[in-house]
Every structure is written in structure tokens, then in C-alpha cells.
Amino acid sequence: MTDSGGFPDANSSDASVFVRASGLVVDEVTTTSLRGHADLGEGHVTAWGTVHGGVYASIVESAGGAGAGFAVADRGQIAVGVHNGTDFLRPSTGGRVEVSAHALFQGRSQQLWDVVISQAEGGTVLARGQLRLQNVPRPDTAATPGR
């Protein structure tokens, strides 16, 4: 049995159009790690047929943010990204990718997560990113404009 921690991933009806488009599915999340996957296809590629780097950066942001948010949820907080540094290591034309995120640092006010995106077949690392997040109080969604 897997636990997505309630994160609205690509399979969730609560997910935004953007999250659904990125394709990230959370398979398991704990307070210090996250495991997931995405099936990348023609909707994720550049005009040259390779997966767009923005897809990888979005997956880094989503995976690190979901893990960090899960870690502080019991404190009535959310984690918001303040810096995303994603390196694109090898080109890919798509297919299933595995996503692995791990907390490198978890403090009272900030967290740092490392995210690795690998081709499922063969395990080749395609991209790697670090996401720094700020832990902030959970906003009152009833009072949030646009909700």
C-alpha cells in the first residue's frame, strides 16, 4: 500500500491543470522522502523531440514541495519554494521516469530537498535538482482571493 500524503498529483481530481499536465504521481511520501513517477510523452517535449527542461524543473518543485509540505503539515504549516536549481543531465524523448526526493536539511523555518529524476528503464539519471523551501503558516483558504 502506498501513501501519497494527500498531495494532489496528476491522478487527483483536486490537482490543478498544471499539476495534471506535469504528470507527477506520488507513490509514497514520508516526512523525509518522496517516491513517485511520471509518464512523459509528446505533450512534454520540445520542437526537437526531447523532454522540455521546464517539465523536469516542475517535477523537482512539485516533488520537493510535496515532501516538505508533508513534513510540516502537523505543525499547521505549508512549505513554499524559494529557490529551485535544476540541472538537466541527459536528453530523453520521454517514457516513464522515476522520481526520488530526500530531505537534506529540515529546520524550523527552512528545508532543503534533493530530487533525482531517472529513466525508469535502465535507471539513467536525466535531471537532478535542489529545492529550498520556507515553512510558513497554512493560509486560511476561505479568505484567500481566487479560491
Side-chain angles (χ1 to χ4, degrees), residues 68 72 77-83 108-112 131-137:
V72 298
Q77 294 181 310
I78 61 171
V80 296
V82 295
H83 178 75
R108 183 183 54 75
S109 61
Q110 289 196 352
Q111 298 184 58
L112 181 64
L131 182 66
R132 178 165 297 281
L133 305 105
Q134 186 77 29
N135 302 328
V136 299

Side-chain angles (χ1 to χ4, degrees), residues 5-142:
F7 177 74
D9 63 19
N11 289 337
S12 172
S13 61
D14 294 340
S16 70
V17 172
F18 182 83
V19 169
R20 284 194 307 271
S22 78
L24 176 65
V25 174
V26 175
D27 296 319
E28 186 173 24
V29 63
T30 72
T31 58
T32 59
S33 67
L34 178 141
R35 188 178 49 78
H37 69 276
D39 292 313
L40 305 180
E42 64 182 45
H44 298 104
V45 299
T46 65
W48 301 275
T50 59
V51 175
H52 193 288
V55 174
Y56 295 133
S58 296
I59 289 173
V60 166
E61 184 84 21
S62 293
F70 187 80
V72 298
D74 65 341
R75 299 185 337 212
Q77 294 181 310
I78 61 171
V80 296
V82 295
H83 178 75
N84 180 336
T86 301
D87 293 304
F88 315 116
L89 305 173
R90 289 184 179 82
S92 170
T93 56
R96 178 158 288 198
V97 296
E98 301 294 334
V99 179
S100 175
H102 294 89
L104 298 174
F105 171 79
Q106 292 180 299
R108 183 183 54 75
S109 61
Q110 289 196 352
Q111 298 184 58
L112 181 64
W113 282 67
D114 181 60
V115 181
V116 177
I117 303 167
S118 306
Q119 197 76 51
E121 186 175 321
T124 302
V125 176
L126 304 172
R128 168 179 227 125
Q130 284 191 351
L131 182 66
R132 178 165 297 281
L133 305 105
Q134 186 77 29
N135 302 328
V136 299
R138 179 178 303 282
D140 178 7
T141 55

